[in-house]
Amino acid sequence: SQQGEEDPQALSIQEGENATMNCSYKTSINNLQWYRQNSGRGLVHLILIRSNEREKHSGRLRVTLDTSKKSSSLLITASRAADTASYFCATDGYGGSQGNLIFGKGTKLSVKP
Amino acid sequence: DTEVTQTPKHLVMGMTNKKSLKCEQHMGHRAMYWYKQKAKKPPELMFVYSYEKLSINESVPSRFSPECPNSSLLNLHLHALQPEDSALYLCASSQEFSGARHEQYFGPGTRLTVT
């Protein structure tokens, strides 16, 4: 079963705008990751945030984590057409007791030039 | 080299065929994974190998048979598949099998069509 649920399911914006995607999860976690997937391709790791961290930055990406609300957000600033992809959050399985990664349903981002 | 390679890129097979998917990484990772992904869905874990031993089999039908010949290679043997098995099959590796503590590196996938 899925641990993370992304919101919104689809997002369409203009180039230069910011894109915010949210992820909610059900059980306690040790770490949360975000991945990007271009259509029909493999996933690319974007950022990892640990349960004791609240915010992390990587280039134009900003990830926040609120463990009290069991939620995370991914902000892409100054979006580009090349950012068009699906974005998935992924957490430890079942409260960190298992070693596998469980992916959310994903947000499909479309950035129009 | 931070690349995971997968062959073939595309595969069309009949329901009576036997074929294999191959995956290779040279990052010294000790965990390797097979995922199945249907269109517009997230990847679903099938198998995990940790230190060349099968650690997780997510109740996958026996027509899928994984093999880890050595620490760099992972195969997925396919036999008597059904049309509903058509999907993108992704291989991934990570430093250790440790939940979300380590990032996973994904290959480009094999697009499988079962006719």
Side-chain angles (χ1 to χ4, degrees):
Chain A
S1 62
Q2 272 132 8
Q3 165 78 309
E5 295 273 342
E6 280 89 342
D7 166 45
Q9 291 188 7
L11 180 61
S12 183
I13 59 174
Q14 294 294 133
E15 212 167 24
E17 293 180 341
N18 295 341
T20 299
M21 288 159 270
N22 302 298
C23 167
S24 59
Y25 54 91
K26 297 172 186 168
T27 62
S28 61
I29 62 168
N30 295 316
N31 305 279
L32 185 144
Q33 300 182 24
W34 283 91
Y35 287 82
R36 183 187 77 228
Q37 184 178 32
N38 290 83
S39 181
R41 304 284 295 170
L43 281 75
V44 174
H45 180 264
L46 296 176
I47 202 160
L48 182 155
I49 187 164
R50 306 194 190 285
S51 58
N52 61 353
E53 297 175 310
R54 292 295 166 259
E55 189 170 310
K56 208 158 181 182
H57 296 255
S58 176
R60 295 184 295 113
L61 305 181
R62 173 178 166 247
V63 167
T64 62
L65 180 63
D66 187 335
T67 53
S68 66
K69 295 181 179 178
K70 292 188 170 60
S71 68
S72 174
S73 69
L74 170 67
L75 168 67
I76 304 174
T77 59
S79 63
R80 305 166 181 167
D83 295 326
T84 294
S86 291
Y87 292 82
F88 296 93
C89 68
T91 60
D92 309 280
Y94 308 111
S97 60
Q98 296 192 13
N100 52 307
L101 206 57
I102 295 185
F103 289 87
K105 291 180 179 178
T107 292
K108 186 168 185 178
L109 174 66
S110 176
V111 182
K112 298 178 180 177
Chain B
D1 182 5
T2 58
E3 190 180 19
V4 175
T5 59
Q6 286 188 247
T7 55
K9 289 185 179 179
H10 301 274
L11 180 61
V12 178
M13 59 186 290
M15 289 189 283
T16 58
N17 291 158
K18 284 186 181 180
K19 296 286 185 183
S20 296
L21 309 185
K22 296 185 184 300
C23 174
E24 191 166 3
Q25 58 89 12
H26 293 287
M27 294 176 276
H29 288 172
R30 305 319 301 255
M32 295 187 76
Y33 311 79
W34 279 115
Y35 289 91
K36 174 183 177 180
Q37 188 179 26
K38 299 284 261 184
K40 300 183 181 180
K41 297 287 187 182
E44 292 180 18
L45 183 65
M46 299 175 72
F47 303 104
V48 180
Y49 274 84
S50 178
Y51 288 85
E52 301 166 47
K53 287 186 168 35
L54 185 65
S55 292
I56 287 186
N57 175 343
E58 289 285 6
S59 303
V60 179
S62 60
R63 56 186 184 267
F64 295 91
S65 175
E67 178 195 20
C68 189
N70 60 54
S71 59
S72 299
L73 292 173
L74 188 65
N75 298 322
L76 186 63
H77 303 298
L78 314 173
H79 173 53
L81 294 192
Q82 304 297 310
E84 59 264 29
D85 296 322
S86 298
L88 181 68
Y89 288 84
L90 294 164
C91 174
S93 70
S94 65
Q95 188 175 334
E96 298 278 346
F97 178 44
S98 59
R101 194 152 54 92
H102 294 107
E103 64 182 282
Q104 292 188 14
Y105 291 77
F106 282 80
T110 293
R111 174 70 61 188
L112 174 67
T113 303
V114 182
T115 61

